[in-house]
Amino acid sequence: MDDRDEKAFLGLVRAWSEGGSALVCARIRELFSDRTVWVQPGLPTVVGVEAAVELVQTWGAAFSDYELEVRHVASAAGAVLIERFETFRHPDGSVYLELPVVGVAEFADGRITEWREYYDSAAIPGLNR
């Protein structure tokens, strides 16, 4: 496994806390192809760069602060797994959502071919399931 894939996926996962939606979208443009599939429980599966960017641009209205704790990173055979804990806060500092997440990104030639997220979508307020 190329450790550049690990660094790339970590950079994507950390992008929101480092630069918000603009940085997430920039990293998606670097790492996704028009065939990349992104699967998240409770959200529509998106395919391709533009669909992923459109989805990301809808985020952020319900929270004003985001904290990320990366707990574990592992990689093998073209895939990178990141376990993380995310905390979203309201403008007054109160917790909007705390969410443990595991994400798996499969890579080919330095690009993500599929990104699957695993979390309890029932924990997300107002999410259509």
Side-chain angles (χ1 to χ4, degrees):
M1 176 50 138
D2 190 334
D3 68 342
R4 289 179 290 183
D5 293 344
E6 273 190 21
K7 289 178 184 173
F9 192 37
L10 276 167
L12 176 55
V13 167
R14 290 180 171 144
W16 191 277
S17 60
E18 294 175 354
S21 65
L23 186 55
V24 174
C25 292
R27 298 244 167 97
I28 284 171
R29 290 187 197 297
E30 293 169 5
L31 295 172
F32 278 35
S33 76
D34 290 336
R35 294 186 307 264
T36 300
V37 177
W38 186 10
V39 180
Q40 301 176 84
L43 296 174
T45 295
V46 296
V47 178
V49 175
E50 293 310 314
V53 166
E54 286 177 21
L55 177 64
V56 169
Q57 290 173 339
T58 67
W59 298 348
F63 63 92
S64 65
D65 189 37
Y66 170 78
E67 298 166 23
L68 172 71
E69 176 190 349
V70 173
R71 294 189 171 170
H72 297 96
V73 180
S75 59
V80 180
L81 179 143
I82 298 176
E83 178 192 19
R84 63 191 193 267
F85 192 82
E86 300 177 333
T87 303
F88 301 84
R89 296 186 183 279
H90 292 288
D92 67 3
S94 63
V95 172
Y96 170 71
L97 173 66
E98 293 179 312
L99 192 64
V101 181
V102 172
V104 178
E106 294 183 22
F107 281 81
D109 300 322
R111 298 256 184 186
I112 295 173
T113 58
E114 188 167 334
W115 178 8
R116 295 177 305 279
E117 298 279 271
Y118 300 96
Y119 55 82
D120 181 3
S121 62
I124 301 175
L127 185 65
N128 294 328
R129 290 177 253 313

